[in-house]
Amino acid sequence: MRHHAANSKRITRPVLAQGLFVDYSGGAGHSAARRDSLPICRFGSCMPKEIHSLTQGPFNLLCPCGAPVPLDDRERISCSCGRELGRMRDGVAVVAPLKSYWGEIPKSQMAELLARSAQIGWRSALLEVAPALDTYVASPNRAAFQDLLPIPETGRILDVGAGLGGISAALAVRHHVVALEGVPERCQFMAVRKKEDGLNRLTILNAGIDSMHLAPGQFDAIIVNGVLEWVAVFDLSGPTEKIQEAFLKRLRELLAPGGVLYVGIENRFGWAQFRGSPDHSGLPYTSLMPRWLARFVCNRSWHRSDDNRGYRTFTYSFSGYRRLFARSGLKIGSMWIATNGYNLPTELVPLNGQAIAFYSKLPLVQAVPGWRALLKNRLKLLAAKEWFWRRFGSDYVFVLERYDA
């Protein structure tokens, strides 16, 4: 997961990893399918053939007894068998919250943001307390990809790892959305946004990724943006690949017939990584290393949190992702390169030669004369090949389908 400020630069070099803080103390501190005539997809420009939602009514949790439990506004979220699954508190369905804090800013700053949001509103508070997060949290372009999803208006969407609600809130203007987030403070902030902005289609579910109690077959789309690479940090029960595979399989079962899974994630061998962009380990170049070497380097890095020891934030090449998805019962329906990063998907270039060549020629129209500019333009055109972008594009966007679809 990478965060972009208004100037599209990285916000901070954190303690736990790139853009994230962690706190276990309980206190305030923080620990150490595209249109041929539009080869480039921009916000609102690409709409594949849509499916028709087959699910109606409220979202459902799944009781251990096997019965569905409506996720509505009742204070007690209970099954007819008598088991209580959670409670509705201040607009948040609290089911299985994380015991630790995990976020884009330190816990003390998050507490200040929540306090000021109650006083002056979430937008003003964000600009006052954490202005570097403005675009990442408040811009509707966080969900600029939504027209790529083949779902109807008022479709049913699950946003996994919703954070501060940047994507969920934008999607909830047009669709029914469950924002799944484990950190209570983030859920509280989303609840303020929901009330202030009148987002009646937004349901906030405070539960960990590894403790989802959602009933199967109820979502037209599931959003996994900057999340897949982190799941093995929270679940240490097995090898990273197996944890990621199990995670995708669980999400696959939540899809309604014809539903899709949207994944935004880095390329392990992307050009940003070769330029020294910090990996999710918080260190540069670790994604380029053999896994054993990355694990060795990370174990000896003094600045990293004990919560992220070793190397478990795996990203993959295109072929690696394709194999991972296949093992999870998923296939790639369509894919793009997010040239501005998957956290600001305002330009998505589909992986075909015509689109890549067209996109690469766009900035050449107003190129500054001179041999350096000419050389740079020439190299850019030489690299405008489908195989090159597939292997070295920095950020991938996948729309996945079930193999049995």
Side-chain angles (χ1 to χ4, degrees):
M1 177 166 51
R2 293 204 299 258
H3 312 306
H4 297 269
N7 60 0
S8 296
K9 294 182 179 179
R10 304 190 191 284
I11 292 172
T12 183
R13 176 83 177 257
V15 175
L16 173 64
Q18 185 67 13
L20 295 169
F21 291 81
V22 65
D23 187 285
Y24 279 92
S25 65
H30 66 279
S31 70
R34 58 191 179 267
R35 293 177 181 171
D36 294 337
S37 60
L38 291 169
I40 297 171
C41 297
R42 289 194 172 88
F43 186 28
S45 69
C46 293
M47 177 66 81
K49 181 179 179 181
E50 69 179 31
I51 62 173
H52 298 284
S53 181
L54 299 180
T55 50
Q56 302 294 333
F59 296 104
N60 291 314
L61 300 179
L62 187 66
C63 181
C65 75
V69 180
L71 191 58
D72 50 29
D73 292 332
R74 292 176 299 174
E75 181 181 354
R76 295 177 71 249
I77 305 171
S78 302
C79 180
S80 57
C81 72
R83 187 189 299 266
E84 182 175 303
L85 302 185
R87 294 268 180 148
M88 188 66 69
R89 298 173 184 165
D90 299 321
V92 178
V94 182
V95 175
L98 295 179
K99 296 180 180 179
S100 60
Y101 174 79
W102 171 282
E104 298 83 355
I105 54 179
K107 188 174 183 178
S108 57
Q109 191 177 0
M110 186 70 216
E112 182 183 0
L113 176 60
L114 288 171
R116 292 297 287 156
S117 294
Q119 296 167 355
I120 63 176
W122 74 266
R123 293 178 186 273
S124 298
L126 184 67
L127 290 173
E128 177 185 298
V129 177
L133 288 176
D134 181 44
T135 298
Y136 179 71
V137 174
S139 174
N141 284 334
R142 289 295 315 285
F145 60 81
Q146 63 181 296
D147 283 339
L148 302 178
L149 303 177
I151 63 175
E153 291 283 334
T154 68
R156 297 161 64 88
I157 300 177
L158 171 65
D159 183 13
V160 180
L164 296 173
I167 294 176
S168 293
L171 291 174
V173 174
R174 296 167 57 185
H175 304 285
H176 297 283
V177 180
V178 171
L180 176 67
E181 174 55 51
V183 178
E185 291 87 347
R186 286 167 148 185
C187 291
Q188 292 164 23
F189 183 82
M190 283 193 285
V192 173
R193 292 188 69 166
K194 175 182 176 177
K195 183 177 180 181
E196 217 174 287
D197 296 349
L199 298 174
N200 297 323
R201 295 172 176 171
L202 178 62
T203 300
I204 304 166
L205 177 58
N206 187 196
I209 291 173
D210 57 349
S211 59
M212 290 184 290
H213 298 285
L214 289 161
Q218 61 178 320
F219 294 102
D220 301 314
I222 298 176
I223 311 302
V224 184
N225 194 75
V227 172
L228 177 60
E229 58 270 41
W230 290 103
V231 295
V233 172
F234 295 96
D235 186 349
L236 305 178
S237 63
T240 298
E241 299 97 325
K242 294 297 183 182
I243 299 300
Q244 292 174 325
E245 181 181 332
F247 169 72
L248 290 171
K249 285 180 177 178
R250 291 204 303 274
L251 296 183
R252 178 183 178 275
E253 295 307 312
L254 298 178
L255 290 173
V260 296
L261 184 65
Y262 173 96
V263 177
I265 196 166
E266 293 87 356
N267 175 7
R268 176 185 179 182
F269 301 115
W271 46 60
Q273 282 63 43
F274 283 99
R275 294 199 304 267
S277 176
D279 189 16
H280 296 297
S281 63
L283 302 171
Y285 307 117
T286 47
S287 73
L288 305 176
M289 302 175 187
R291 304 298 194 191
W292 66 266
L293 182 57
R295 193 173 298 113
F296 177 87
V297 170
C298 290
N299 277 329
R300 284 153 181 78
S301 177
W302 62 270
H303 81 283
R304 302 177 75 245
S305 165
D306 289 338
D307 186 63
N308 197 13
R309 287 293 172 186
Y311 186 69
R312 294 181 64 82
T313 52
F314 284 14
T315 53
Y316 302 86
S317 64
F318 168 77
S319 58
Y321 283 119
R322 185 168 55 184
R323 289 192 296 268
L324 175 63
F325 298 150
R327 293 196 303 269
S328 306
L330 297 162
K331 59 184 177 181
I332 299 174
S334 52
M335 67 171 294
W336 295 264
I337 298 295
T339 57
N340 292 332
Y342 61 75
N343 271 325
L344 198 63
T346 50
E347 289 189 355
L348 300 173
V349 183
L351 272 180
N352 70 67
Q354 180 185 6
I356 292 168
F358 177 74
Y359 179 84
S360 299
K361 291 176 182 177
L362 284 178
L364 305 184
V365 176
Q366 299 179 352
V368 178
W371 70 269
R372 288 186 178 86
L374 291 173
L375 178 60
K376 183 178 180 180
N377 290 339
R378 181 60 179 167
L379 292 174
K380 184 178 293 186
L381 290 175
L382 288 173
K385 302 291 189 293
E386 182 176 342
W387 67 266
F388 187 89
W389 279 54
R390 180 183 291 112
R391 294 183 182 180
F392 301 114
S394 287
D395 287 23
Y396 292 135
V397 164
F398 298 99
V399 175
L400 307 176
E401 305 167 355
R402 295 168 59 122
Y403 259 120
D404 57 3

